[in-house]
Amino acid sequence: MSSWKKAAKSTQKTHRERHQPESRKHLGLLEKKKDYVARAQDYNEKQATLRVLRKRALNKNPDEFYFHMINSKLENGVHHEKEKDEKYSEGQIKLMETQDLKYVAHKRNIETKKVEKLHSNLHMIDAANQVINSHIFFVDDDQEANNFDISKKLDTHPALLSRKTNRPRLTTLQKMKVPKLDEVSLQKLEQQKHMAYKELLKRVDREQELTVTQHTLEIRRALKDKKVTKPKRVKAGSKNSAPIYQWKFERKK
């Protein structure tokens, strides 16, 4: 009996699934059983999902309300969460809607270089002179304290006592060749200095705005990565700071 089984097994022909006939090649590949099984499973899963959704729709309370109804929207058939607590300026919104990350990073680098150049030219001397501090001088007796002369002690002109920076000595002033300036020229120089500080302030604000825009675009690009787990938002974004998200720690191999 065993020898007959071996003989039958050795003579058994392996039946293979037929290929698509030449006359039907224009119809594409011929579906095999494994293709039919996959298509049937997909069809049955979709039908089961439709039955569940139909049941939920029939059992739904028409008076039911939850905030996700108004806090989400459909864009091109894709569901998106509305981030209405993230408030940006009009310029930031326009940049994020019309420009890409590389352009924003390029403009930010330009503003950073301009700010550094203005800082190096102005040195923020006036800001240093506005800082309130004290300078203590020690004397031997009351008579010396009554006759004490600060300009003589510091060896400088009395008009320069209010300065904390660029306060030359009298010997240095005698050697310097200071041009004679009238009142109009002094006012013009003061106006130019004021305009330079005003421009610096605008450049700093612009750089900060571009920095926030760049970081926001980088975070939005990271959120589009479907390979990582969706992070948890810790803090919403604003015109002064980008949103903060906390990603789940994943160990890298």
Side-chain angles (χ1 to χ4, degrees):
M1 188 70 179
S2 59
S3 61
W4 181 82
K5 284 185 178 180
K6 289 181 180 178
K9 191 173 183 181
S10 62
T11 57
Q12 187 177 2
K13 186 178 179 180
T14 303
H15 295 278
R16 298 179 181 176
E17 292 183 286
R18 65 188 180 92
H19 58 82
Q20 185 74 289
E22 289 289 337
S23 60
R24 295 175 59 87
K25 268 194 174 180
H26 64 281
L27 299 175
L29 293 174
L30 181 64
E31 186 182 59
K32 306 297 190 295
K33 183 177 180 180
K34 60 179 182 179
D35 302 322
Y36 163 75
V37 170
R39 183 165 57 86
Q41 287 178 351
D42 181 64
Y43 174 78
N44 292 329
E45 288 176 2
K46 289 180 179 177
Q47 290 299 315
T49 304
L50 289 174
R51 283 195 297 270
V52 172
L53 293 176
R54 194 176 292 111
K55 184 177 179 181
R56 289 180 183 175
L58 291 172
N59 296 333
K60 183 182 177 183
N61 182 3
D63 298 328
E64 182 182 0
F65 172 80
Y66 54 98
F67 284 99
H68 195 258
M69 293 178 178
I70 59 175
N71 291 337
S72 60
K73 59 182 178 179
L74 273 176
E75 290 183 1
N76 299 326
V78 181
H79 222 80
H80 293 280
E81 297 290 334
K82 286 184 180 178
E83 298 179 348
K84 50 180 190 175
D85 52 345
E86 293 191 348
K87 299 179 180 179
Y88 298 96
S89 64
E90 293 183 3
Q92 289 173 327
I93 294 173
K94 189 175 181 181
L95 274 175
M96 286 187 281
E97 290 179 350
T98 59
Q99 303 297 339
D100 59 354
L101 180 59
K102 289 184 179 179
Y103 175 82
V104 175
H106 173 67
K107 297 298 288 184
R108 179 199 171 190
N109 290 334
I110 293 175
E111 290 296 328
T112 302
K113 290 179 181 179
K114 289 181 179 179
V115 168
E116 291 175 354
K117 186 177 181 181
L118 287 171
H119 265 299
S120 62
N121 292 336
L122 295 174
H123 299 292
M124 306 300 289
I125 294 175
D126 291 345
N129 291 330
Q130 292 176 2
V131 177
I132 300 175
N133 54 15
S134 60
H135 193 158
I136 300 174
F137 294 94
F138 295 94
V139 294
D140 295 332
D141 49 25
D142 295 339
Q143 184 178 358
E144 187 178 353
N146 294 331
N147 299 328
F148 187 74
D149 188 359
I150 301 177
S151 58
K152 186 176 180 181
K153 180 70 175 178
L154 297 175
D155 190 21
T156 187
H157 195 273
L160 303 176
L161 289 176
S162 60
R163 288 189 174 189
K164 296 180 177 62
T165 58
N166 195 16
R167 187 170 57 195
R169 295 177 179 272
L170 290 174
T171 54
T172 308
L173 289 172
Q174 292 173 359
K175 295 178 182 178
M176 292 173 61
K177 294 182 180 180
V178 182
K180 294 182 179 179
L181 298 174
D182 54 357
E183 190 67 24
V184 178
S185 300
L186 290 174
Q187 289 181 357
K188 189 175 180 180
L189 289 173
E190 188 67 24
Q191 185 179 4
Q192 289 177 355
K193 184 178 68 173
H194 176 71
M195 293 299 294
Y197 278 113
K198 195 173 180 181
E199 182 185 359
L200 175 61
L201 184 61
K202 287 183 178 180
R203 294 287 183 186
V204 170
D205 292 341
R206 175 66 174 167
E207 183 196 10
Q208 183 182 3
E209 184 177 322
L210 288 171
T211 302
V212 173
T213 306
Q214 180 183 352
H215 291 169
T216 304
L217 289 174
E218 289 173 350
I219 291 173
R220 288 185 179 181
R221 174 180 288 185
L223 290 174
K224 291 180 180 179
D225 190 0
K226 296 181 180 179
K227 296 181 181 179
V228 298
T229 309
K230 188 176 180 181
K232 177 184 177 183
R233 189 172 70 174
V234 179
K235 184 180 178 182
S238 64
K239 64 179 182 180
N240 297 321
S241 63
I244 300 175
Y245 283 83
Q246 183 180 3
W247 271 265
K248 184 179 178 181
F249 176 76
E250 293 182 359
R251 183 176 177 181
K252 304 297 182 181
K253 293 184 179 180

